[in-house]
Amino acid sequence: MTRTAVLVSGGVDSTVALALLAAEGRPGLEAFYLEIWLEDEMAFLGRCPWQEDLAFVRQAVGKVGVPLHVVSLQREYHERVVAATVAELRAGRTPSPDVLCNQQVKFGAFLDTVGDEYRFVATGHHARAVPGAGVVELHRGADPVKDQTYFLCLLTQAQLERALFPVGHLHKAEIRRLAGRLGLDAAERPDSQGLCFLGRVPFPDFVRCHLGERRGRIREHGSGRVLGEHPGYWFFTIGQRRGLGLGGGPWYVVGKECDENVVWVTHGSQRGLQRRNRLSVESPSWIGEGPADGARLEVRFRHGERLSWCRVRHGAPGVLEVTLEEGDPGLAPGQYAVLYDGSRCLGGGPIAEVGGGPQ
């Protein structure tokens, strides 16, 4: 019998994914909740999301009548995601921990743990796995606002062949209506704004837990004028507006000096001068074949609806050069550049360098 593992976090997307697979009569269906945080981290933050999440998971599992397993991947999560994320923050780069979590934990360490016992792993991601010419393609979810292919860009072909995304063809409003009709408690539960499986744990709390605070100066780009103080350069990324605490704004982060712990900002009226249209992507990962030199594609630099048109060229070994048709003032080293050909996600990688003059 072909068995399917469904990763459930307690949110509406994953619980509806489980219910849809159960409704279609898929044999060998079992639910899994992954514990990934360490006890000392939870103590530091003063709260543990597991108990609340598990209550929603157990209600959904009880509704559909499938077994539930709670699996600890705390060590693997810390080694493969947390350590890399903290190292990137300390280096002044902008990490994407959810990208690593999907590749290294949900479709990595979890598959290593269950081995060949389960043919498929289903999640509540807004994405679609579509059989193509000899490969499985990754396509954007039906809901352009909730599409999560950005976070799945590092999946290998072997991982994608085992992936199921039961809600990828639905809009969020449809998912919530389905959850209500099915009697799932998660129907009205707010979407998680935290890191990966971490529910309501905000990212700044995660940063503070691992790197603490160190007061530094906020300076105006160009004049060098001191505008205020900040709790540590690792709390900020290029293009960030919130959290600066400056009057007379809007102000945007345009640079950081790690050694001096300085955050550089510019006023919104001058932000257009920070637009850059060239970047290099290091060690890009392709789900199928990589793009041809000169291909005109769309690229996404962060989760959300916005995509930008670009041309790509293969440069030095392991480096992809990307030229944007319209510059972006928020590009940051470490941030992932994810490429699309129509609705198909080709893959991507972290930005190594940003260049090009004002656009």
Side-chain angles (χ1 to χ4, degrees):
M1 178 177 63
T2 301
R3 301 168 75 188
T4 299
V6 186
L7 300 185
V8 283
S9 64
V12 66
D13 296 323
S14 62
T15 54
V16 168
L18 173 67
L20 289 177
L21 292 176
E24 72 179 35
R26 179 174 286 267
L29 197 64
E30 299 181 28
F32 287 81
Y33 177 82
L34 305 185
E35 285 185 350
I36 57 175
W37 263 54
L38 303 177
E39 295 298 335
D40 57 346
E41 291 167 331
M42 287 289 93
F44 179 91
L45 294 173
R47 60 190 182 278
C48 176
W50 295 347
Q51 295 177 354
E52 181 183 348
D53 288 342
L54 271 174
F56 284 94
V57 168
R58 289 194 171 103
Q59 191 269 341
V61 167
K63 275 283 183 182
V64 302
V66 300
L68 171 64
H69 309 277
V70 178
V71 177
S72 173
L73 294 177
Q74 295 165 314
R75 178 178 58 82
E76 293 85 350
Y77 182 76
H78 195 277
E79 291 175 354
R80 302 186 190 189
V81 180
V82 172
T85 298
V86 172
E88 286 283 89
L89 290 168
R90 186 177 284 114
R93 289 160 58 94
T94 299
S96 296
D98 283 328
V99 174
L100 293 179
C101 185
N102 285 311
Q103 182 210 37
Q104 295 289 331
V105 178
K106 297 176 191 175
F107 293 98
F110 177 71
L111 285 178
D112 294 340
T113 299
V114 299
D116 296 329
E117 293 183 47
Y118 298 85
R119 173 65 182 87
F120 296 105
V121 175
T123 69
H125 282 105
H126 287 258
R128 293 176 295 138
V130 180
V135 297
V136 178
E137 300 175 354
L138 178 65
H139 285 254
R140 297 204 298 257
D143 191 329
V145 176
K146 296 297 182 180
D147 170 52
Q148 292 174 302
T149 50
Y150 182 87
F151 300 129
L152 299 168
C153 69
L154 292 188
L155 292 190
T156 65
Q157 185 61 209
Q159 290 171 319
L160 195 56
E161 286 174 353
R162 297 178 68 176
L164 296 176
F165 306 120
V167 301
H169 65 292
L170 299 171
H171 281 66
K172 188 73 176 199
E174 296 176 283
I175 293 172
R176 290 202 181 276
R177 284 195 295 269
L178 270 173
R181 288 201 296 268
L182 293 169
L184 298 174
D185 288 349
E188 301 301 326
R189 196 179 191 199
D191 289 345
S192 170
Q193 300 298 317
L195 171 62
C196 199
F197 266 93
L198 304 185
R200 273 129 298 284
V201 177
F203 190 64
D205 287 356
F206 166 85
V207 177
R208 188 172 291 104
C209 173
H210 290 277
L211 292 174
E213 294 188 359
R214 180 158 64 94
R215 306 302 296 181
R217 291 179 173 179
I218 301 174
R219 291 183 177 271
E220 182 180 24
H221 177 73
S223 73
R225 184 165 56 108
V226 176
L227 302 178
E229 290 190 340
H230 62 82
Y233 67 83
W234 42 77
F235 286 98
F236 301 92
T237 186
I238 307 301
Q240 183 171 333
R241 175 181 173 183
R242 295 182 178 178
L244 289 166
L246 301 178
W251 296 94
Y252 294 87
V253 177
V254 296
K256 297 185 289 185
E257 288 184 33
C258 301
D259 292 342
E260 300 297 326
N261 194 26
V262 173
V263 171
W264 292 92
V265 300
T266 193
H267 193 270
S269 61
Q270 302 296 311
R271 195 176 183 227
L273 299 176
Q274 301 300 319
R275 290 183 178 273
R276 299 293 179 260
N277 70 334
R278 293 199 302 272
L279 58 123
S280 59
V281 178
E282 58 187 357
S283 303
S285 174
W286 306 118
I287 294 170
E289 290 187 3
D293 268 352
R296 185 173 186 258
L297 302 168
E298 288 181 286
V299 62
R300 178 181 278 162
F301 300 110
R302 54 194 70 86
H303 175 57
E305 285 187 85
R306 186 186 175 195
L307 291 98
S308 303
W309 287 102
C310 68
R311 295 278 182 180
V312 300
R313 181 180 66 84
H314 296 276
V319 176
L320 186 76
E321 305 292 346
V322 179
T323 302
L324 302 177
E325 294 183 3
E326 181 179 344
D328 189 313
L331 301 178
Q335 195 174 32
Y336 272 74
V338 180
L339 292 155
Y340 295 83
D341 184 3
S343 68
R344 182 182 180 185
C345 177
L346 302 179
I351 296 175
E353 295 181 350
V354 177
Q359 299 296 303

